[in-house]
Amino acid sequence: MAGSNRYFNGRSWQLFMLAGVIYTLTPPVELIDRQNDTQIFGIVTDGLTGEPLESVNVYLTYTTFGDATDSNGLYSFTTNLSGQFELVYSPVGYDAKRYVVLLGGSENEIRMDVEMVKHSLTLDEIEVEADNSEWLQNYELFEQEFLGQTPNSAAAEIKNRWVLNFERTDTNELIAFAEDPIQISNRALGYELTADLNEFTWDLRNRSGFYRVKVWFEEKEPSGEEEYQMWQRNRAQVYRGSFRHFLKSLYDDQLFRNRFEIVWQDTDQRARIQQLSEEEMRDALELRNLDLDLISQGVKGFILRESVDVLIGGRSIRSDTRNRARLIPMKDDHIFFVTPDGNLADLMSLATAGHWSVMRMADMVPIDYRP
């Protein structure tokens, strides 16, 4: 994907990493209604002293499911999600921890007791750096690329920008660090976001780059019915044409109706994604060590033998101005699994580039959002 062509420019892509494995910003996990929910609970303590830690955010990334530890370090929440997820422990002043959990199997309880390690860099050291004009200039550039430059981003605000620090490389790349979670208020979509920034590198010459981030969504309380309805409209608009909307349309065999067209990369020639048979599904799930119950829950399997582009939106008679995204298979067998609500059941099976990869924090809805 390096290099340029008429559709994708330089490093204008975003791939994100979990434990050394590449995955996409759009959270590749699943929401399925089940009779038995899963309870996730435990205690969080200081790894050195053993003392319980209060106000540690514990959440399933890119969802609204999570909790903050109480004064005894205890947390507990229940979810109806099913599939492979990343469980994040995000305290202020400590290094975040992440674990991959598989939900929706026979177990309806998951206990996780976690010990945290303090940062080696203190908040005071960061604040010293923040008190200068160079930091403010870097922050403005970071804010534009991190939140985006859309109408929704104008209504989004980083509430604790002092946790950020920046470096400029000799090649004019902006590198951002956040020792503690970034708190974002999105008044356009009605969410409070907790964002754990793992990496941010942006080339200021061609305005392209990448970042890795984990996010917890919390619903804001609307001031009234008018604001609530505005949030619903804005969320629906963000969802339309998104990666998850595409997966849902693929699952329902409604790509054409929902204005998606699959083509070979860098062309306008139609391509297709083949659905697996039930026997092929079973073999593939066993190889991935995923629960075979996913079949009975309606999960479908697809094979993508090479990268393809997806054209998004309606085509006018005079010109084709549709957005173009790219799907990239990340597994050796080129297989991915889609759930009934339009998410990936395997956390690391696909990556995206192009239109979907440039969606910023201000234009995101959680995966448990229902249109």
Side-chain angles (χ1 to χ4, degrees):
M1 291 182 354
S4 60
N5 55 56
R6 65 190 179 108
Y7 295 120
F8 297 105
N9 211 351
R11 291 174 62 197
S12 56
W13 50 271
Q14 287 175 303
L15 297 179
F16 300 81
M17 190 167 293
L18 163 63
V21 185
I22 298 172
Y23 70 103
T24 67
L25 170 64
T26 304
V29 284
E30 160 53 354
L31 170 68
I32 302 176
D33 288 324
R34 300 181 295 115
Q35 287 185 336
N36 297 320
D37 294 340
T38 302
Q39 182 186 16
I40 302 175
F41 64 99
I43 184 171
V44 181
T45 57
D46 185 298
L48 185 61
T49 67
E51 292 295 316
L53 295 179
E54 187 176 2
S55 300
V56 177
N57 291 323
V58 184
Y59 62 90
L60 297 170
T61 188
Y62 296 106
T63 77
T64 60
F65 293 100
D67 190 22
T69 57
D70 62 16
S71 59
N72 296 313
L74 300 174
Y75 70 93
S76 177
F77 64 94
T78 301
T79 176
N80 62 348
L81 296 171
S82 180
Q84 185 173 265
F85 286 80
E86 190 175 17
L87 181 63
V88 177
Y89 294 78
S90 175
V92 172
Y94 291 76
D95 294 332
K97 287 193 174 182
R98 305 166 186 86
Y99 301 90
V100 174
V101 295
L102 187 62
L103 306 178
S106 57
E107 297 292 331
N108 57 11
E109 289 186 351
I110 297 176
R111 174 164 185 164
M112 297 283 289
D113 296 336
V114 177
E115 297 180 348
M116 310 304 297
V117 179
K118 284 189 175 181
H119 289 325
S120 58
L121 182 63
T122 67
L123 183 60
D124 289 337
E125 290 174 308
I126 295 176
E127 288 177 341
V128 170
E129 293 292 327
D131 189 22
N132 60 66
S133 59
E134 182 181 357
W135 184 94
L136 291 172
Q137 181 184 31
N138 289 332
Y139 173 78
E140 290 177 359
L141 294 169
F142 168 83
E143 185 180 49
Q144 289 177 4
E145 301 301 343
F146 190 62
L147 296 182
Q149 301 179 59
T150 65
N152 288 339
S153 67
E157 175 190 9
I158 296 177
K159 299 192 295 184
N160 60 338
R161 62 181 186 171
W162 57 84
V163 305
L164 289 158
N165 202 7
F166 307 98
E167 288 183 5
R168 288 280 192 101
T169 68
D170 295 337
T171 56
N172 204 25
E173 286 185 326
L174 176 65
I175 301 174
F177 309 89
E179 289 299 317
D180 289 321
I182 302 172
Q183 302 297 328
I184 302 169
S185 178
N186 190 334
R187 299 183 304 277
L189 299 182
Y191 294 115
E192 296 285 343
L193 282 67
T194 298
D196 287 283
L197 183 67
N198 306 127
E199 185 176 3
F200 181 97
T201 301
W202 214 262
D203 190 329
L204 299 176
R205 293 172 301 180
N206 56 29
R207 298 189 65 181
S208 63
F210 65 95
Y211 57 86
R212 297 185 293 127
V213 65
K214 310 292 186 285
V215 187
W216 180 28
F217 292 81
E218 296 179 88
E219 296 269 1
K220 291 172 68 71
E221 189 69 29
S223 59
E225 181 65 20
E226 183 177 351
E227 184 172 50
Y228 173 78
Q229 292 300 331
M230 179 193 73
W231 289 348
Q232 298 308 307
R233 291 192 301 270
N234 290 346
R235 292 173 185 181
Q237 184 176 10
V238 166
Y239 174 80
R240 285 193 297 271
S242 66
F243 179 48
R244 184 183 166 203
H245 188 200
F246 167 80
L247 290 176
K248 174 63 174 171
S249 302
L250 177 67
Y251 182 96
D252 293 335
D253 195 20
Q254 295 290 325
L255 290 174
F256 178 77
R257 178 179 180 179
N258 292 328
R259 298 186 174 184
F260 294 104
E261 183 180 359
I262 302 171
V263 297
W264 296 115
Q265 59 179 339
D266 300 331
T267 76
D268 296 320
Q269 299 176 3
R270 287 190 178 179
R272 64 187 299 267
I273 297 175
Q274 180 181 344
Q275 184 176 342
L276 300 181
S277 66
E278 184 171 334
E279 182 179 354
E280 292 170 327
M281 273 276 298
R282 186 175 298 273
D283 292 341
L285 286 171
E286 288 179 340
L287 287 174
R288 300 277 183 85
N289 198 29
L290 294 174
D291 200 317
L292 293 179
D293 287 345
L294 292 175
I295 297 176
S296 62
Q297 293 170 357
V299 172
K300 294 181 181 179
F302 299 87
I303 185 165
L304 179 62
R305 299 192 182 278
E306 61 181 281
S307 298
V308 295
D309 290 349
V310 179
L311 302 178
I312 306 163
R315 181 174 184 173
S316 65
I317 298 177
R318 295 183 178 180
S319 62
D320 189 351
T321 58
R322 291 175 290 180
N323 291 315
R324 179 178 288 257
R326 180 161 295 170
L327 279 179
I328 306 158
M330 301 303 294
K331 294 290 187 177
D332 291 339
D333 59 10
H334 308 290
I335 290 172
F336 62 96
F337 305 104
V338 182
T339 60
D341 275 349
N343 288 291
L344 295 174
D346 189 340
L347 187 68
M348 297 160 284
S349 56
L350 288 178
T352 64
H355 176 70
W356 288 328
S357 70
V358 299
M359 299 298 289
R360 302 292 194 259
M361 301 300 297
D363 293 288
M364 290 178 59
V365 292
I367 67 166
D368 46 306
Y369 164 76
R370 290 180 179 270

